[in-house]
C-alpha cells in the first residue's frame, strides 16, 4: 500500500466517503474539510490533504483551483468513479457540495415538497421574483403528481391555495386548472409531462438549479459543457474545418486547406442550355439539375470521380425548369416550370402527377420534414400547402411579395418567404408581365442582356411566419431584390442573396442583420447560396462573374474564389449532405461541376481536360489554376 495511506481496522467496503470531520467554514463557501477518511479495497484509510500554495491551478494560472477540483469531482461522480471522487475530496480538502445541497437534491428526487420550499432561501435564492417562480415550479410538480395519483381534493387545494396566489404565468395556471378532470393517460399528453416515475423530478431539479448560485450548486454536467464549448471554439476558429470526425482534446485542432474541396473532380455537360437550379438527394447519392432546356437530369454521383452516371432525363415540362426538390425519403422529386408543378418517380423517370394551383411562375418548393406534404411559393403572391399526393390543403393568399424563394426551418417553427415587394401600380404590373419567363423566374434581362428598366425601382421584402399559426412574426423591407433564402440547420439564421448587396446572414427570432459576405457579384440574375460543411461552417454562393465564392460563416472571412465555369452566372450551389468535402455548382455555361478533394494519385482524364478546354472562350487566356486565392484577387472587387 502507498506510504501516504495508513491502514486501519477492516470495515465493510462502502460506495461513499466517510469523514471524521464535518465540513467547516473555510475560505471557499464552506466547501472545505480539514482531513478525511475513505474506504479502499475494504480498508478504512486516511488521506493526507495536499495544500499547494496560492489559489490557482499553477503559480501563474488564473484558473481557480477550488473550481477546477469541484468540476473534476462532479465529472468523476457522473461517470461512476465514486471512490476516486471520495479520495480526491479527502486529498484536496474540497467537497463537491454541502450537506444542505445534497439534502435539497434528495428532497426533490424523493418528492419531499415541504422541505424543498423551505430549502430555497437557505441555498441562496434571495430575489423575490426568483423565489416566487421557483416555488411555482415546485407547486406545479406537486399538483401534477397529486393528479396522477387521483388525489383530486389535495390537487385542487394546491391549485387554489399555493399556485394561484403566486401569480406566475396566468396562462399556464389556467392550463393546469383544465387538467383537473383528466385521466392519467391524457394528463401526460396535455401537460407534456412524463409522471413522477419518469424524468420530471430530474428536470425540475435542473430548472430550480438556475436560481441557485453556481458556487453553491454546480450546474449539471458542467465539465462536459466546458469541454464541448472548447471543441466548438476550436471548430469555429478552424476556418477550413471540413472533417466531421471527432478530434482529440490533447492538442489544438486545425484542418489543412488541402482538406477543403478546392478542385473540380467531375464536369456534367449533358444539358443544352443554362442550368438554373440543382439539389442533392438526402442520402447524397443523387443530384437533380434543372435547366432552361426544359429538362431535369438525375445523376448518380459517387465519392470516386469515375463513379458518375446519368440515370434519368425528365422531359415532360413545356417551359424552362426553375426549381427541383427531393422528398425526405427520396421517393418523389418535385419540379417547377412556370405555374406548373410535377411530381416524379426518380427511379423510373415517370411523372406521377401534374399539380396546378398557381397563376404565375412557381419560384420555390420545399417538403415538410416528415414527408407529409410540401409547400410552394410563386410570383402570384401565393404560398400553397399540399399533401404528399399533391392535393391542396391550405394557402396564404395575397402576400404582398412576388416570391423568389420560400423556406421552412428544420424545426418547422418558421416559414420564410422573400422576393420583390409587389407594386400596386398598373403600369409597373403591365411592364413586368411583358418580361420573358427567364426574367420572371430567373433574372430581369432585356434583349441586350442589360437590366430591364421596369426593375429599376424594385424593393425587396422577406417575411417570417409562424408555420403553425400562419401568423406573421416579422417583416423586413429593403431596396433591391432578394433572390433566395436558405435556413441554417439549427433554425436560428437565414441566408439571403440580395441584389445588389450580395449575401447576408439574418437572425430569425429577432430579425436583424448579423453579417455580410462580400465579394460576390449579383446585379441582374437569381443567385442561390447555401450553408456547407460539417456544422455548416461555410457559406457558398455563385456569382455573375462565373466564379464560386466561399466564406467562413462565423467570422465572415473570405476563403476562396473558385474558378472553372465558363462565361455567365453560376446560378446555384449545393453542398452534399453526406459527403463532408463535396459540393456542386451549376451555371449558364450549360454545365454542372462537382467539387472535392483530389483523391490520392488522381489524374484528370482526357475527357476532363478536353471539357476544360472547350469551356474557354475564343481569345481568352487559359485558366491554369482551378482556384484563385482571396488575397490575390482582392483588388478585383475592392
Amino acid at each position: 500500500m502507498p506510504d501516504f495511506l495508513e491502514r486501519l481496522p477492516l470495515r465493510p467496503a462502502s460506495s461513499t466517503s466517510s469523514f471524521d470531520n464535518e465540513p467547516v467554514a473555510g475560505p471557499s463557501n464552506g466547501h472545505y474539510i480539514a482531513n478525511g477518511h475513505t474506504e479502499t479495497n475494504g480498508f478504512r484509510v486516511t488521506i493526507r490533504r495536499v495544500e499547494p500554495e496560492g489559489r490557482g491551478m499553477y503559480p501563474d494560472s488564473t484558473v481557480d483551483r477550488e473550481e477546477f477540483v469541484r468540476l473534476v469531482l462532479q465529472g468523476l461522480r457522473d461517470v461512476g468513479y465514486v471512490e476516486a471522487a471520495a479520495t480526491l475530496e479527502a486529498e484536496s480538502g474540497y467537497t463537491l457540495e454541502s450537506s444542505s445541497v445534497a439534502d435539497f437534491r434528495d428532497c426533490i428526487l424523493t418528492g419531499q415538497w415541504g422541505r424543498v420550499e423551505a430549502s430555497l432561501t437557505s441555498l441562496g435564492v434571495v430575489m423575490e421574483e426568483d423565489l416566487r417562480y421557483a416555488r411555482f415550479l415546485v407547486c406545479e410538480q406537486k399538483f401534477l403528481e397529486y393528479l396522477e395519483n387521483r388525489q383530486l381534493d389535495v390537487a385542487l387545494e394546491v391549485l387554489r391555495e399555493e399556485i394561484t396566489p403566486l401569480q406566475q404565468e396566468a396562462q399556464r395556471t389556467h392550463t393546469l386548472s383544465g387538467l383537473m378532470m383528466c385521466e392519467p393517460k391524457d394528463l401526460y399528453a396535455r401537460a407534456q409531462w412524463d409522471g413522477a416515475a419518469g424524468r420530471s423530478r430530474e428536470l425540475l431539479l435542473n430548472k430550480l438549479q438556475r436560481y441557485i448560485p453556481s458556487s453553491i450548486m454546480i450546474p449539471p454536467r458542467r465539465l462536459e459543457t466546458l469541454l464541448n464549448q472548447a471543441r466548438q471554439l476550436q471548430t469555429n476558429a478552424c476556418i477550413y474545418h471540413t472533417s466531421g470526425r471527432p478530434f482529440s482534446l490533447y492538442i489544438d485542432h486545425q484542418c489543412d486547406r488541402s482538406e477543403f474541396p478546392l478542385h473540380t473532380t467531375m464536369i456534367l455537360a449533358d444539358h443544352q442550355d443554362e442550368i438554373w437550379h440543382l439539389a442533392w438527394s438526402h442520402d447524397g447519392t443523387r443530384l437533380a439539375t434543372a435547366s432552361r432546356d426544359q429538362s431535369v437530369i438525375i445523376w448518380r454521383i459517387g465519392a470516386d470521380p469515375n463513379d458518375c452516371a446519368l440515370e434519368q432525363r425528365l422531359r415532360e415540362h413545356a417551359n424552362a425548369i426553375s426549381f427541383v426538390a427531393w422528398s425526405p425519403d427520396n421517393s418523389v422529386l418535385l419540379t417547377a416550370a412556370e405555374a406548373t408543378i410535377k411530381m416524379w418517380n426518380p427511379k423510373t423517370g415517370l411523372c406521377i402527377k401534374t399539380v396546378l394551383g398557381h397563376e404565375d411562375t412557381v419560384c420555390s418548393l420545399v417538403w415538410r420534414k416528415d414527408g407529409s406534404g410540401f409547400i410552394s411559393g410563386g410570383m402570384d403572391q401565393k404560398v400553397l400547402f399540399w399533401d404528399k399526393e399533391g392535393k391542396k390543403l391550405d394557402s396564404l393568399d395575397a402576400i404582398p411579395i412576388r416570391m423568389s424563394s420560400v423556406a421552412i426551418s428544420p424545426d418547422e417553427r418558421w416559414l420564410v418567404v422573400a422576393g420583390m415587394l409587389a407594386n400596386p401600380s398598373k403600369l409597373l404590373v403591365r411592364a413586368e408581365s411583358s418580361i420573358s419567363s427567364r426574367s420572371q423566374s430567373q433574372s430581369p434581362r432585356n434583349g441586350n442582356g442589360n437590366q430591364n428598366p421596369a426593375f429599376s425601382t424594385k424593393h425587396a421584402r422577406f417575411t417570417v411566419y409562424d408555420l403553425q399559426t400562419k401568423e406573421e412574426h416579422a417583416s423586413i423591407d429593403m431596396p433591391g431584390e432578394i433572390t433566395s433564402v436558405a435556413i441554417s440547420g439549427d433554425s436560428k439564421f437565414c441566408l439571403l442573396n440580395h441584389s445588389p448587396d450580395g449575401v447576408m446572414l439574418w437572425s430569425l427570432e429577432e430579425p436583424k442583420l448579423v453579417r455580410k459576405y462580400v465579394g460576390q457579384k449579383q446585379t441582374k440574375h437569381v443567385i442561390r447560396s447555401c450553408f456547407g460543411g460539417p456544422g455548416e461552417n461555410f457559406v457558398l454562393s455563385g456569382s455573375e462573374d462565373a466564379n464560386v465564392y466561399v466564406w467562413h460563416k462565423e467570422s465572415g472571412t473570405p476563403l476562396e474564389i473558385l474558378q472553372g465555369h465558363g462565361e455567365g452566372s453560376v446560378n446555384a450551389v449545393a453542398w452534399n449532405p453526406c459527403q463532408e468535402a463535396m459540393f456542386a455548382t451549376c451555371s449558364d455555361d450549360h454545365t454542372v461541376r462537382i467539387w472535392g478533394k483530389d483523391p490520392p494519385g488522381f489524374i484528370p482524364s482526357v475527357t476532363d481536360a478536353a471539357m476544360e478546354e472547350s469551356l474557354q472562350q475564343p481569345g481568352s487566356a487559359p485558366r491554369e489554376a482551378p482556384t484563385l486565392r482571396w488575397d490575390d484577387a482582392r483588388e478585383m472587387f475592392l
Side-chain angles (χ1 to χ4, degrees):
M1 179 174 291
D3 57 8
F4 70 87
L5 296 179
E6 176 187 352
R7 182 171 300 184
L8 295 175
L10 180 64
R11 296 179 56 198
S14 169
S15 62
T16 59
S17 304
S18 174
F19 297 100
D20 285 347
N21 298 46
E22 287 295 319
V24 296
S28 34
N29 299 317
H31 303 292
Y32 178 85
I33 59 176
N35 54 65
H37 302 138
T38 188
E39 307 284 346
T40 302
N41 296 326
F43 293 92
R44 184 167 180 265
V45 295
T46 299
I47 307 297
R48 293 182 181 178
R49 185 162 59 83
V50 177
E51 300 182 81
E53 294 183 3
R55 295 185 57 86
M57 283 182 62
Y58 308 103
D60 59 347
S61 174
T62 59
V63 177
D64 184 86
R65 186 170 66 253
E66 179 191 354
E67 290 187 355
F68 166 72
V69 171
R70 293 181 65 206
L71 290 173
V72 172
L73 285 169
Q74 185 192 55
L76 289 172
R77 289 186 174 175
D78 284 348
V79 298
Y81 298 140
V82 179
E83 292 297 344
T87 301
L88 178 57
E89 282 185 324
E91 188 172 19
S92 67
Y94 301 121
T95 58
L96 174 61
E97 56 191 25
S98 67
S99 58
S100 59
V101 172
D103 183 62
F104 176 72
R105 175 180 284 103
D106 183 66
C107 288
I108 292 176
L109 298 180
T110 58
Q112 302 177 57
W113 307 121
R115 294 178 61 188
V116 169
E117 294 180 55
S119 299
L120 289 171
T121 52
S122 66
L123 293 177
V125 185
V126 293
M127 294 184 61
E128 183 62 27
E129 183 178 351
D130 289 348
L131 191 58
R132 289 173 70 87
Y133 192 70
R135 285 173 174 161
F136 172 79
L137 294 174
V138 173
C139 291
E140 179 185 45
Q141 178 75 16
K142 181 165 53 172
F143 170 77
L144 292 172
E145 290 194 14
Y146 283 136
L147 287 185
E148 182 183 36
N149 294 329
R150 308 307 294 159
Q151 296 177 265
L152 302 183
D153 292 342
V154 184
L156 182 60
E157 183 179 353
V158 171
L159 181 64
R160 288 177 174 175
E161 304 298 328
E162 300 182 44
I163 295 178
T164 303
L166 290 172
Q167 298 181 334
Q168 300 290 311
E169 294 197 25
Q171 182 59 45
R172 179 63 176 166
T173 301
H174 178 73
T175 300
L176 292 176
S177 65
L179 302 175
M180 284 295 301
M181 303 309 295
C182 283
E183 294 294 329
K185 61 180 180 179
D186 297 324
L187 173 67
Y188 302 139
R190 291 184 58 183
Q192 296 183 334
W193 182 74
D194 65 354
R199 297 188 63 242
S200 63
R201 290 179 177 177
E202 181 182 342
L203 295 175
L204 172 63
L205 178 63
N206 292 342
K207 291 178 183 178
L208 293 175
Q209 198 160 345
R210 301 172 190 170
Y211 303 99
I212 299 172
S214 58
S215 61
I216 295 176
M217 191 174 185
I218 301 174
R221 302 174 67 163
R222 182 60 185 163
L223 184 59
E224 180 188 40
T225 299
L226 293 173
L227 294 177
N228 285 336
Q229 289 173 353
R231 287 181 183 274
Q232 189 59 52
L233 181 65
Q234 292 191 41
T235 297
N236 292 342
C238 178
I239 61 173
Y240 282 103
H241 185 70
T242 53
S243 174
R245 299 181 298 275
F247 53 85
S248 173
L249 291 169
Y250 295 140
I251 58 173
D252 288 343
H253 170 76
Q254 190 67 45
C255 287
D256 190 84
R257 179 174 177 262
S258 63
E259 295 295 304
F260 193 83
L262 296 170
H263 308 291
T264 299
T265 59
M266 292 176 241
I267 300 174
L268 313 179
D270 282 68
H271 280 293
Q272 305 304 310
D273 209 329
E274 299 169 357
I275 306 172
W276 290 350
H277 193 236
L278 76 175
W280 290 98
S281 61
H282 297 281
D283 61 5
T285 64
R286 302 294 187 274
L287 181 69
T289 57
S291 174
R292 188 180 182 183
D293 66 9
Q294 303 178 13
S295 75
V296 168
I297 295 178
I298 299 175
W299 311 83
R300 187 190 76 248
I301 307 292
D304 187 323
N306 296 317
D307 184 12
C308 172
L310 189 160
E311 290 196 336
Q312 300 291 344
R313 190 189 296 269
L314 315 179
R315 289 185 175 276
E316 293 186 21
H317 278 291
N319 301 100
I321 302 172
S322 58
F323 208 90
V324 290
W326 294 85
S327 64
D329 63 359
N330 302 314
S331 65
V332 178
L333 182 70
L334 299 176
T335 61
E338 294 294 337
T340 301
I341 301 170
K342 287 184 179 290
M343 305 176 68
W344 305 82
N345 182 326
K347 292 183 178 180
T348 64
L350 298 177
C351 181
I352 301 170
K353 185 176 183 178
T354 298
V355 179
L356 301 176
H358 283 281
E359 300 168 0
D360 204 337
T361 302
V362 176
C363 65
S364 202
L365 300 163
V366 57
W367 281 89
R368 302 298 294 260
K369 185 176 182 180
D370 61 1
S372 61
F374 60 92
I375 297 174
S376 60
M379 299 192 75
D380 56 3
Q381 302 172 231
K382 293 181 181 179
V383 174
L384 303 183
F385 296 76
W386 311 86
D387 69 10
K388 63 181 179 180
E389 308 297 333
K391 178 182 177 182
K392 182 179 173 183
L393 300 175
D394 199 357
S395 66
L396 287 174
D397 298 323
I399 296 174
I401 303 173
R402 290 172 60 79
M403 277 164 275
S404 59
S405 191
V406 174
I408 297 175
S409 61
D411 63 2
E412 299 221 337
R413 181 182 179 188
W414 306 120
L415 169 68
V416 181
V417 302
M420 186 172 64
L421 188 63
N423 192 319
S425 168
K426 294 182 180 179
L427 178 62
L428 182 57
V429 170
R430 285 198 299 270
E432 291 174 355
S433 65
S434 66
I435 298 171
S436 67
S437 62
R438 169 71 195 237
S439 300
Q440 291 179 319
S441 62
Q442 284 294 101
S443 60
R445 301 177 184 177
N446 62 21
N448 298 320
N450 299 319
Q451 187 168 358
N452 193 295
F455 287 81
S456 60
T457 58
K458 292 183 295 185
H459 281 77
R461 170 178 290 181
F462 79 92
T463 302
V464 182
Y465 291 93
D466 183 304
L467 184 58
Q468 304 305 317
T469 65
K470 299 182 177 61
E471 294 179 356
E472 184 176 313
H473 171 67
S475 193
I476 304 294
D477 292 349
M478 59 187 75
E481 185 175 7
I482 298 172
T483 63
S484 79
V485 176
I487 300 181
S488 61
D490 60 10
S491 302
K492 294 180 180 179
F493 303 98
C494 69
L495 200 62
L496 301 180
N497 274 71
H498 177 249
S499 172
D501 289 337
V503 185
M504 302 185 292
L505 186 72
W506 285 73
S507 66
L508 288 175
E509 183 68 46
E510 181 185 356
K512 62 180 180 180
L513 179 62
V514 176
R515 192 168 293 113
K516 287 187 177 182
Y517 303 97
V518 301
Q520 173 253 26
K521 306 293 192 301
Q522 181 175 355
T523 59
K524 300 178 292 183
H525 303 162
V526 165
I527 307 291
R528 300 186 188 275
S529 59
C530 75
F531 296 100
E536 296 185 334
N537 294 323
F538 308 108
V539 169
L540 289 79
S541 181
S543 177
E544 292 176 3
D545 61 8
N547 295 323
V548 180
Y549 287 75
V550 184
W551 301 267
H552 186 247
K553 184 184 74 173
E554 291 298 324
S555 65
T557 302
L559 300 181
E560 303 289 341
I561 304 173
L562 305 180
Q563 293 183 327
H565 277 291
E567 184 178 356
S569 292
V570 177
N571 297 311
V573 294
W575 198 284
N576 190 305
C578 298
Q579 296 285 339
E580 58 191 26
M582 178 187 288
F583 64 89
T585 59
C586 63
S587 168
D588 284 351
D589 68 5
H590 308 182
T591 72
V592 173
R593 283 180 175 251
I594 308 299
W595 302 79
K597 300 182 295 182
D598 282 348
F602 173 69
I603 299 175
S605 67
V606 175
T607 303
D608 290 337
M611 187 66 66
E612 289 279 2
E613 184 178 353
S614 70
L615 293 177
Q616 304 300 324
Q617 300 302 311
S620 65
R623 293 191 176 103
E624 297 180 355
T627 66
L628 180 64
R629 292 303 304 276
W630 181 269
D631 292 341
D632 298 334
R634 188 180 298 273
E635 294 182 359
M636 292 173 59
F637 46 81
L638 290 182

